[in-house]
Amino acid sequence: MKLAQMGELSLVDGIRKGFGGRKSRGVIAGIGDDAAVLSPPAGRKLLLSTDMMLEGVHFDLGFVTPAQLGFKLVSVNVSDISAMGGRARAVLLGIALPGQTGRKVIDGIMEGVRKGIDHYGIALVGGDVSSSVHGICLSATIVGYAEKPVMRSGAKAGDLIYVTGPLGDASCGLELLKLRGRTVDFERPPRGPIPWDLAGPLMQRHLMPLARKAPVGRINSMIDLSDGLSIDLYRLCTESGVGAVIEKDLLPISPALRSAAELLGKDPYVFALDGGEDYELLFTAPEGKAPRGAVSIGAITESGLFMADAQGRLTALYPKGYRHFG
Ligand code: ADP
Ligand code: MG
């Protein structure tokens, strides 16, 4: 059945049946009324963020399954809340679909959204459905809370720069996916030119990224790595009015990225510096005990953006990540 026959109302009905019944902490009313009602925890600040995914701009159903898409939509939104030092609580989902969209695609998207909200322990509390003239558009608005939100603008000269995990995996995964040329079912490992135990985890990081939990401790500034280390670090430094030096040798490169890059004949550091969608957190903290689960990759300085090699030679670091209009 297609959306055109099913109708928007029955789609909302289905979502309500599937997601509406379950109560979640702090959610007084979810799907079904004119607006959701949440009760914010005492003393916390409210965090709001929204992200859109458009067919043809952000995704192509020839490469990503509807379920992977739904999961990713939730993850990228949760990541923005983590990047503020907060915890995600609830999400609103906007869906616009062409009339000829099949049931399988719609069910797949909702299955992925369900996996995502279950994984992060959040609630789907509302949304909107519309028909679309061209392509699928998904939009999620996320609600979270933080006791003390961590801004991009708080970095100070002398801070150490940390990341929560390996860099470049997702963009290398995208390159492998483009080579493959079609979707991947992680339950049924396909054959390909690059061994699956290398390619699988890298492609998974692109297709189904996991949002990190906000680090605890004295964090001065933070951003999530959605567009690439070089551009996201540039953004953080610009907001803070500071500079940075990254140590090339300290950049965490996974063994899988190292091997896959070699097989592709590419430099793993290009993926790590300029590749997007890792959704690791980049944060700065005063020198001292390293926050748990994070590795230091450099330091904040007064000005300029540089990378130091093993001999301490500096080269300028240019923001080269993904930019929509640039
Ligand atoms: P209204 O016309 O008042 O905006 P709708 O008919 O659009 O109401 O939606 C009815 C209820 O279903 C609302 O609570 C709304 O938040 C929820 N809802 C609609 N679309 C979605 C969706 N895609 N995901 C989750 N909830 C939705
Ligand atoms: Mg509405």
Side-chain angles (χ1 to χ4, degrees), residues 142-182:
I142 192 137
V143 181
Y145 299 104
E147 215 170 293
K148 235 178 126 235
V150 181
M151 319 296 283
R152 295 179 178 184
S153 54
K156 294 185 176 48
D159 278 2
L160 291 184
I161 304 169
Y162 294 92
V163 289
T164 48
L167 306 174
D169 284 2
S171 55
C172 183
L174 173 61
E175 192 127 335
L176 294 170
L177 193 62
K178 282 183 185 158
L179 272 182
R180 174 174 160 75
R182 61 205 147 87

Side-chain angles (χ1 to χ4, degrees), residues 155-164 167 219 221-223 225 229 232-234 236-237 242-247 250-252 281-287 290-291 294-301 304-306 317:
K156 294 185 176 48
D159 278 2
L160 291 184
I161 304 169
Y162 294 92
V163 289
T164 48
L167 306 174
I219 311 294
S221 68
M222 186 151 53
I223 188 169
L225 293 175
L229 175 66
D232 290 324
L233 176 63
Y234 171 82
L236 181 134
C237 287
V242 295
V245 177
I246 294 299
E247 309 270 343
L250 295 181
L251 293 177
L281 299 171
L282 179 132
F283 61 93
T284 77
E287 214 166 334
V295 289
S296 169
I297 60 165
I300 295 292
T301 59
L305 208 53
F306 298 96
L317 189 66

Side-chain angles (χ1 to χ4, degrees), residues 7-307:
E8 290 165 30
L9 267 184
S10 96
L11 175 54
V12 174
D13 250 15
I15 295 174
R16 185 175 181 179
K17 283 203 187 84
F19 290 86
R22 299 181 317 158
K23 276 278 160 247
S24 181
R25 198 158 56 95
V27 178
I28 294 164
I31 297 172
D33 219 311
D34 295 308
V37 184
L38 304 192
S39 116
R44 302 277 159 95
K45 300 276 193 298
L46 176 63
L47 304 174
L48 295 167
S49 181
T50 194
D51 255 299
M52 290 203 288
M53 288 179 22
L54 274 75
E55 190 173 4
V57 179
H58 302 96
F59 67 90
D60 175 340
L61 286 177
F63 292 91
V64 60
T65 68
Q68 288 161 356
L69 204 58
F71 185 87
K72 184 167 183 170
L73 181 69
V74 178
S75 279
V76 303
N77 277 276
V78 171
S79 177
D80 281 325
I81 298 294
S82 296
M84 297 300 293
R87 276 202 67 160
R89 179 61 67 81
V91 67
L92 297 130
L93 177 66
I95 313 177
L97 302 162
Q100 74 273 15
T101 308
R103 180 92 229 190
K104 254 179 90 175
V105 171
I106 301 171
D107 288 348
I109 292 170
M110 295 317 297
E111 178 203 319
V113 167
R114 144 130 9 248
K115 254 200 187 153
I117 67 168
D118 286 350
H119 180 83
Y120 298 108
I122 60 179
L124 180 64
V125 295
D128 204 7
V129 171
S130 169
S131 57
S132 134
V133 182
H134 287 295
I136 296 175
C137 172
L138 301 175
S139 161
T141 299
I142 192 137
V143 181
Y145 299 104
E147 215 170 293
K148 235 178 126 235
V150 181
M151 319 296 283
R152 295 179 178 184
S153 54
K156 294 185 176 48
D159 278 2
L160 291 184
I161 304 169
Y162 294 92
V163 289
T164 48
L167 306 174
D169 284 2
S171 55
C172 183
L174 173 61
E175 192 127 335
L176 294 170
L177 193 62
K178 282 183 185 158
L179 272 182
R180 174 174 160 75
R182 61 205 147 87
T183 58
V184 177
D185 178 351
F186 289 101
E187 260 112 66
R188 270 178 283 158
R191 276 182 226 279
I194 310 256
W196 180 249
D197 56 342
L198 275 187
L202 296 173
M203 290 199 252
Q204 187 143 16
R205 288 214 54 187
H206 169 75
L207 291 168
M208 299 183 73
L210 291 173
R212 297 290 179 193
K213 280 206 176 87
V216 285
R218 214 180 123 201
I219 311 294
N220 280 342
S221 68
M222 186 151 53
I223 188 169
D224 68 331
L225 293 175
S226 54
D227 292 336
L229 175 66
S230 61
I231 190 164
D232 290 324
L233 176 63
Y234 171 82
R235 286 175 175 141
L236 181 134
C237 287
T238 305
E239 288 300 319
S240 296
V242 295
V245 177
I246 294 299
E247 309 270 343
K248 188 175 181 187
D249 279 0
L250 295 181
L251 293 177
I253 308 246
S254 70
L257 172 58
R258 227 174 259 285
S259 310
E262 197 179 321
L263 287 169
L264 289 168
K266 301 242 161 136
D267 178 358
Y269 288 93
V270 174
F271 290 114
L273 288 168
D274 301 328
E277 300 204 290
D278 281 321
Y279 296 102
E280 297 295 346
L281 299 171
L282 179 132
F283 61 93
T284 77
E287 214 166 334
K289 214 174 93 201
R292 241 198 348 194
V295 289
S296 169
I297 60 165
I300 295 292
T301 59
E302 299 287 344
S303 65
L305 208 53
F306 298 96
M307 183 164 71

